[in-house]
Amino acid sequence: MKYSIIPNETKVGIVKAVHDGDSIKVKFEDGEIVWIRLYGCDAPEVHSNYVSARQPYGKESGDFLRNLIKGKEVRVETLFRDEFKRMICKVELEGKD
């Protein structure tokens, strides 16, 4: 997968999906779609191909974030990639991160 967003770059997009309480999929104005992990947030995991067991409140944290942010415009600033090559980003909704 190609990522055109680079560290310290800021882009605006719409949140298309929420995986759990700290991972979202954003479609940027240029059409690029990227999964992002939220900087400074460590939410409980939900069951997936990469996680063998759910953690308590994983579904609830994802549902809360989904209700808050899905379908809304966000401002995304890429900070760095983690050891799993995920993009770690600061995300602002209505001027608040």
Side-chain angles (χ1 to χ4, degrees):
M1 177 178 280
K2 177 181 159 271
Y3 297 109
S4 62
I5 189 168
I6 57 173
N8 300 318
E9 182 181 27
T10 301
K11 292 173 96 173
V12 174
I14 302 293
V15 177
K16 302 308 271 182
V18 174
H19 174 68
D20 57 20
D22 58 14
S23 301
I24 62 173
K25 182 172 19 176
V26 177
K27 182 176 183 180
F28 294 110
E29 293 173 329
D30 62 7
E32 180 182 26
I33 300 173
V34 177
W35 277 100
I36 291 170
R37 184 160 172 129
L38 303 178
Y39 174 74
C41 183
D42 185 15
E45 301 298 328
V46 296
H47 182 75
S48 72
N49 294 335
Y50 305 102
V51 178
S52 59
R54 286 190 295 243
Q55 295 177 339
Y57 304 105
K59 180 181 179 320
E60 291 84 353
S61 70
D63 289 345
F64 180 84
L65 183 60
R66 195 171 292 107
N67 289 329
L68 178 69
I69 203 168
K70 187 174 179 193
K72 296 188 179 172
E73 184 177 273
V74 292
R75 181 178 169 268
V76 176
E77 178 185 356
T78 301
L79 302 175
F80 59 92
R81 288 182 187 267
D82 68 6
E83 65 272 18
F84 304 108
K85 299 187 180 187
R86 295 176 296 194
M87 292 178 27
I88 309 300
C89 301
K90 180 179 174 184
V91 177
E92 293 183 0
L93 171 67
E94 299 172 352
K96 298 177 184 175
D97 71 357

